[in-house]
Amino acid sequence: MKIERIIVHEVQKEANRKDIKLVLSDQIIPLSPESTRLVETLSNSYNSDKITYGIFNLTSSSYFPSRFDQYRSVFPVNDKDFIDLTKDQITGIQSFMSVKNFAKGGYFLFTEYSINGASFYAIFLLRDTAGNTLKRVGSTFEVDSVEYLDTNHLAMAFRLNTQNYNKRNGNYISFTNRKQPDVSEYFTDWVCAIKLESSTGFTEKLYEIINEIPLPKNPETGLYYTIDEVRNMVYDHARSNGEKNINIKSLSDHIYGDENAIQAYATDNDIEIDTEFRFDRNALKKFIQLAIDVDGIKLKFSRGDFGNKVRVAEGDPNMVIIESKEFAKKLRNELDKNGYS
């Protein structure tokens, strides 16, 4: 990770009160081992959370993205440009917080950094860190060298992929999904976010596509893969990515030999899926099979079929129900052939 700039502004507001006080910083936080590792820790916390994706509402009244565009139009930008940008944006949050009774303030850490060639503009909202992680020193903050790893009070995080935003490629903004109405209701309004979609939603849409798209051929045998083989390929490809992301083009090329196959099918069938997204681990498990061999019974099925074709009977945990027209037909045929009818 390469960090360019960090600054913290404090928003003071109590729940059930409308009065808001801004404590703005006039200087960026010096880059040091402590401040660098703080951002790294916050980024890791962000990466481990559930993510909601979206885009900016780019109307003339959308101040947050308009101000960011103004900032990016100057090249090269300097520290003062960054300070002015963050001060202007955080000032705009007041009108959104004042109408939310349960909204509370906190420490808003703005930062620019890059990872593996991708550049980001991120905002992390921390709470309950006074005299702990962050300490006010003059017109800025400093990071406590002892307590900086205490990031359990991360209430919300926003991240803009600046390269994807410049290209208007996919859902270029994302949030942590911490299910805190006091934050999410004003936070997304403040940054002018629309078309919000969760990582769970995208993973489930991918499962829907994989189940419906024509099966590819195995280039070695010339035979078509089975649907379970394709599901396993998706699962293995996703899990092999250390960043827990699914890149649709890479996945499509890996399975179908055509990087546009999945996206083309989604477009043709009015399925909105991002070109790259963080997969949801539980939703991804639908792609792999469950295999059970016990008590003289062998049963193998996709996790995606559990609760649908295969389920545990309500009220009797020892009864398993298989509901499949084709399975029942096959079973009757086998019984007839073996004289069990």
Side-chain angles (χ1 to χ4, degrees):
M1 173 184 286
K2 180 183 179 182
I3 301 173
E4 299 293 338
R5 301 174 181 88
I6 313 169
I7 195 170
V8 173
H9 302 298
E10 183 183 1
V11 177
Q12 296 178 354
K13 182 186 181 300
E14 298 296 328
N16 299 313
R17 298 191 62 175
K18 290 188 176 182
D19 52 307
I20 300 173
K21 180 181 179 182
L22 300 181
V23 182
L24 304 179
S25 298
D26 295 324
Q27 300 176 37
I28 62 173
I29 293 178
L31 296 182
S32 66
E34 290 77 23
S35 61
T36 298
R37 290 166 68 182
L38 170 61
V39 175
E40 289 175 345
T41 304
L42 291 171
S43 179
N44 290 337
S45 179
Y46 169 90
N47 288 336
S48 65
D49 206 346
K50 289 187 176 181
I51 302 297
T52 298
Y53 295 85
I55 63 174
F56 282 138
N57 178 12
L58 296 174
T59 62
S60 58
S61 60
S62 300
Y63 181 76
F64 188 99
S66 296
R67 184 63 181 86
F68 183 77
D69 285 343
Q70 181 184 358
Y71 167 71
R72 296 281 292 181
S73 67
V74 178
F75 186 84
V77 297
N78 56 40
D79 291 348
K80 184 181 183 304
D81 295 327
F82 179 75
I83 294 169
D84 291 343
L85 166 69
T86 62
K87 290 170 75 171
D88 289 345
Q89 287 183 328
I90 197 65
T91 300
I93 205 172
Q94 294 182 89
S95 61
F96 296 100
M97 292 184 69
S98 62
V99 296
K100 303 294 183 182
N101 289 335
F102 294 102
K104 296 184 292 184
Y107 297 85
F108 289 76
L109 186 150
F110 293 74
T111 181
E112 289 181 312
Y113 63 91
S114 59
I115 302 177
N116 297 327
S119 57
F120 300 98
Y121 177 61
I123 304 170
F124 300 100
L125 169 56
L126 295 114
R127 288 185 175 146
D128 304 321
T129 56
N132 191 357
T133 303
L134 300 167
K135 292 183 178 179
R136 187 80 185 178
V137 179
S139 60
T140 186
F141 285 85
E142 69 176 21
V143 180
D144 190 286
S145 60
V146 177
E147 302 291 348
Y148 67 86
L149 288 178
D150 180 16
T151 56
N152 294 324
H153 301 296
L154 176 62
M156 188 75 176
F158 157 89
R159 193 168 77 171
L160 167 66
N161 185 314
T162 55
Q163 289 150 318
N164 286 347
Y165 174 57
N166 292 338
K167 300 174 184 177
R168 302 299 191 267
N169 181 23
N171 291 281
Y172 42 77
I173 59 177
S174 55
F175 304 85
T176 53
N177 183 15
R178 291 180 175 265
K179 297 182 179 179
Q180 296 191 50
D182 66 305
V183 178
S184 58
E185 288 182 5
Y186 74 79
F187 209 99
T188 53
D189 290 342
W190 169 48
V191 301
C192 305
I194 57 173
K195 293 182 64 177
L196 300 178
E197 180 78 61
S198 68
S199 54
T200 302
F202 279 132
T203 310
E204 290 176 344
K205 285 182 177 181
L206 178 61
Y207 183 78
E208 176 187 348
I209 292 170
I210 295 301
N211 284 342
E212 299 297 334
I213 192 172
L215 294 170
K217 283 186 177 181
N218 184 326
E220 296 182 359
T221 66
L223 301 176
Y224 286 99
Y225 286 111
T226 66
I227 183 59
D228 285 323
E229 287 175 328
V230 175
R231 288 170 179 164
N232 286 330
M233 290 167 68
V234 174
Y235 182 84
D236 291 340
H237 187 76
R239 296 291 292 180
S240 67
N241 186 332
E243 296 183 2
K244 301 179 181 178
N245 287 339
I246 291 178
N247 182 289
I248 291 297
K249 286 184 177 293
S250 174
L251 177 67
S252 185
D253 182 58
H254 174 67
I255 296 177
Y256 301 95
D258 177 1
E259 66 175 15
N260 296 314
I262 293 178
Q263 193 65 60
Y265 181 88
T267 301
D268 291 343
N269 291 273
D270 295 323
I271 301 173
E272 291 190 8
I273 189 168
D274 206 355
T275 53
E276 184 170 348
F277 57 90
R278 176 87 39 76
F279 63 76
D280 178 83
R281 286 182 294 179
N282 289 329
L284 188 70
K285 290 178 181 178
K286 287 185 177 182
F287 286 91
I288 58 175
Q289 290 183 329
L290 284 174
I292 302 169
D293 183 359
V294 67
D295 202 19
I297 300 172
K298 293 183 179 181
L299 185 62
K300 183 171 68 173
F301 57 94
S302 166
R303 286 181 180 269
D305 291 329
F306 182 71
N308 182 15
K309 295 179 181 178
V310 182
R311 65 182 186 275
V312 178
E314 293 184 10
D316 189 347
N318 296 319
M319 181 183 294
V320 176
I321 297 174
I322 300 175
E323 188 171 350
S324 167
K325 180 179 178 180
E326 293 302 317
F327 182 86
K329 180 180 177 180
K330 183 72 173 179
L331 178 60
R332 287 194 299 268
N333 290 340
E334 290 297 316
L335 292 175
D336 289 341
K337 284 195 303 183
N338 289 280
Y340 285 96
S341 57

